[in-house]
Amino acid sequence: MMGVSISVAGASRAFGGVYAVREVGLDVPPGELRAVIGPNGAGKSTLFALIGGQLALDAGTVRLDGARIDRLPAHRRARLGVSVVFQGARIFPRMTALENVMVGAHTATRSGFLTAALRLPAHARSERLIASRARASLDRVGLAQWADRPAESLPLGQQRALQLARALCGRPRLLLLDEPASGLRTGEREHLAALLAELRSEGLTMLLVEHDVGFVMRLADRVTVLDLGRVIAEGSPAEVRADPAVIAAYLGDHQGSAA
């Protein structure tokens, strides 16, 4: 996978006159796993939605490999390789696990509505390719045996893994993960950590929001800390752990544990 650089400058977004994100700056080089941490209400999920295009900026810019994308709708950003896995299991319950993952590749296929409606050979070839890619993505997240089962029958942990498989099926260049380890058992967390480390070794750029500080600190290359919508610290995991402002605002006596 070829990662991209992501640069956020002066990003601000308010709701009802209250800023959820205010003048946030973030520069992540290709292939880095950047963690974004902070207490509840710090603006982490809002920042992800601003990068992914689910929310519009009030001010600021978002650039992908130097090109502005903040004026593009979410589906256009997805075509450029921006994929967001939001907190909470978001699945299509009446579809199988495999069909759920295949949805993630729709931006990569060249078959349009007409080829699908007429069942032209190009559509059939595209569907076979996407199904193969989807099965590989399911296998990668440990869900190969669930492929043909209804998605709604999967336990919560597997439903969260299903969302990650769907994102990977779209071959992202920038992957934003909003609390992917939340609700997972120990073994599932270890599998997720190993997968993220593998994706980083392949060059994928990732932004990770996670409340489990220990999980974050052993995976992240660098950490950005938000509090009340502003960046209060940034650095290596060791530097952030020792920052007095971060300890006061967030870490406290929760270092190394879930917060």
Side-chain angles (χ1 to χ4, degrees):
M1 296 182 182
M2 293 296 294
V4 293
S5 66
I6 180 72
S7 178
V8 179
S12 298
R13 174 63 192 241
F15 299 95
V18 178
Y19 279 96
V21 169
R22 189 162 191 170
E23 298 178 357
V24 167
L26 190 72
D27 288 293
V28 182
E32 181 175 292
L33 196 165
R34 173 69 61 90
V36 181
I37 67 172
N40 289 331
K44 306 181 296 295
S45 295
T46 299
L47 176 63
F48 271 28
L50 292 171
I51 295 172
Q54 290 75 29
L55 287 174
L57 287 162
D58 290 336
T61 60
V62 178
R63 297 180 184 272
L64 198 69
D65 272 351
R68 284 188 67 170
I69 64 169
D70 48 87
R71 295 171 182 167
L72 300 179
H75 72 274
R76 291 280 304 279
R77 300 188 203 193
R79 289 177 185 168
L80 293 174
V82 179
S83 184
V84 188
V85 179
F86 286 107
Q87 182 182 6
R90 300 185 179 188
I91 62 168
F92 301 100
R94 297 187 180 182
M95 297 167 63
T96 66
L98 179 65
E99 290 167 339
N100 265 265
V101 176
M102 289 176 67
V103 171
H106 76 279
T107 57
T109 179
R110 294 184 179 180
S111 293
F113 173 78
L114 186 60
T115 57
L118 297 179
R119 298 185 180 276
L120 297 179
H123 175 67
R125 287 194 299 270
S126 176
E127 285 295 295
R128 287 194 296 270
L129 174 63
I130 290 174
S132 175
R133 191 188 304 172
R135 289 188 182 277
S137 296
L138 283 168
D139 184 56
R140 192 157 202 189
V141 302
L143 292 181
Q145 71 274 24
W146 296 88
D148 299 314
R149 300 190 190 184
E152 61 188 343
S153 71
L154 274 65
L156 177 61
Q158 278 70 31
Q159 288 187 16
R160 296 181 72 84
L162 184 63
Q163 292 181 91
L164 178 55
R166 186 164 61 205
L168 294 178
C169 190
R171 296 186 174 178
R173 302 164 69 209
L174 171 65
L175 181 61
L176 296 88
L177 298 158
D178 191 359
E179 298 192 34
S182 176
L184 299 187
R185 297 184 295 243
T186 301
E188 294 168 336
R189 283 172 179 256
E190 291 302 315
H191 185 273
L192 175 62
L195 176 57
L196 296 184
E198 185 178 296
L199 292 171
R200 178 179 56 193
S201 72
E202 295 173 6
L204 179 62
T205 308
M206 289 178 281
L207 293 179
L208 170 67
V209 164
E210 182 55 56
H211 276 297
D212 186 333
V213 177
F215 185 90
V216 165
M217 295 300 182
R218 67 190 174 106
L219 280 173
D221 297 303
R222 290 179 66 80
V223 180
T224 297
V225 187
L226 296 181
D227 187 34
L228 300 176
R230 293 182 181 271
V231 175
I232 62 168
E234 186 173 283
S236 69
E239 290 169 338
V240 165
R241 272 188 182 276
D243 191 300
V246 177
I247 294 171
Y250 179 53
L251 293 179
D253 60 358
H254 298 290
Q255 295 197 49
S257 65

